[in-house]
Amino acid sequence: MSRQPLTGVFKGVPDSRDRRGCRHRLDVVLALAAVGVLAGCRTLLAIWENARDLTGGQLRDLGIGPGRPLPSESTIRRALQGLDADDFDARVASWMLTRTGTIDGRHVIAVDGKTMRGAKPKNNNSDEDGGGGDGGVPHLLAVLDQESGAVLAQQRVADKTSEIPALKQLLAPHDLTGAVITADAQRSPRPTRPSGYATGAPTMCSRSRETSPASEPD
């Protein structure tokens, strides 16, 4: 496993904010946000309130020394809004890949898709949301390591398409030679292999939606 902590990954994330008047390092803001999410926070305000409840030792571990002020809710909001989401996701996914384990000597990967809870469709015809332009509610396809429970990658499924092409795109960048990949039957109408794996290709096992734990009602 990688010995680099997640905070080390945050230090490499590009900061798009103006350096002038920037009081809080981006990696510190990201660390506070990550801790808040892990604590169950669902809003930026809740993340800020959680940060206020952290002990001095916990804050030092996240890069905030004694006497240093905490970033405000608006600072956290602006910092997160300025992120390149694809770049950030790729950095975290690469780190997560170093945390995976094996079951009986094999990587076992599960693939499942979910429509984002609470998301609202856009009422415009723009392609800016990356979902095909009809303003549909975002639907994400995710890859999960079954041994560690880590989400290794996720990708939005383009509107008016199925999860099958998205699955191939999602798996293509990763070296999954010898891995066992499980997915709902609707994602594997026939054996599916990411392009570029002529030998040692991962195995795609279909399973019914009725027996998939990820398909249980929320």
Side-chain angles (χ1 to χ4, degrees):
M1 287 188 178
S2 172
R3 295 185 180 275
Q4 177 180 225
L6 185 57
T7 51
V9 177
F10 292 159
K11 289 180 180 179
V13 176
D15 191 348
S16 63
R17 298 176 298 170
D18 191 333
R19 295 292 183 183
R20 294 172 296 180
C22 188
R23 300 177 60 193
H24 304 281
R25 301 199 323 256
L26 179 61
D27 63 292
V28 171
V29 176
L30 294 176
L32 290 173
V35 168
V37 171
L38 291 172
C41 299
R42 292 193 165 191
T43 66
L44 294 174
L45 179 60
I47 289 174
W48 174 71
E49 291 175 340
N50 181 76
R52 294 179 60 191
D53 293 334
L54 297 177
T55 66
Q58 291 169 332
L59 291 174
R60 283 194 298 273
D61 290 340
L62 298 177
I64 301 178
R68 292 285 299 172
L70 289 172
S72 65
E73 185 271 347
S74 60
T75 296
I76 297 173
R77 181 184 301 275
R78 288 193 297 270
L80 297 182
Q81 287 177 336
L83 290 176
D84 181 329
D86 291 335
D87 174 78
F88 182 73
D89 187 66
R91 290 173 185 270
V92 175
S94 295
W95 180 81
M96 293 302 300
L97 280 170
T98 69
R99 318 295 292 183
T100 59
T102 59
I103 299 176
D104 294 332
R106 283 180 175 268
H107 290 288
V108 182
I109 307 298
V111 179
D112 195 23
K114 284 291 183 183
T115 299
M116 295 180 65
R117 179 184 298 177
K120 296 181 180 180
K122 290 188 176 182
N123 295 319
N124 58 54
N125 294 319
S126 169
D127 287 337
E128 293 179 356
D129 64 348
D134 68 358
V137 175
H139 186 81
L140 298 179
L141 191 63
V143 175
L144 179 131
D145 175 61
Q146 292 198 13
E147 194 279 332
S148 65
V151 176
L152 307 179
Q154 65 179 6
Q155 175 175 312
R156 180 171 178 175
V157 179
D159 296 333
K160 300 181 180 179
T161 65
S162 71
E163 294 179 354
I164 296 173
L167 171 59
K168 294 181 178 180
Q169 295 171 7
L170 190 62
L171 297 180
H174 305 295
D175 182 5
L176 299 176
T177 302
V180 175
I181 303 173
T182 63
D184 292 333
Q186 67 171 7
R187 296 178 188 90
S188 182
R190 59 181 181 273
T192 302
R193 297 179 185 271
S195 59
Y197 291 96
T199 61
T203 303
M204 176 62 71
C205 304
S206 299
R207 63 184 181 189
S208 67
R209 175 162 293 277
E210 290 76 18
T211 60
S212 169
S215 67
E216 294 176 359
D218 294 324

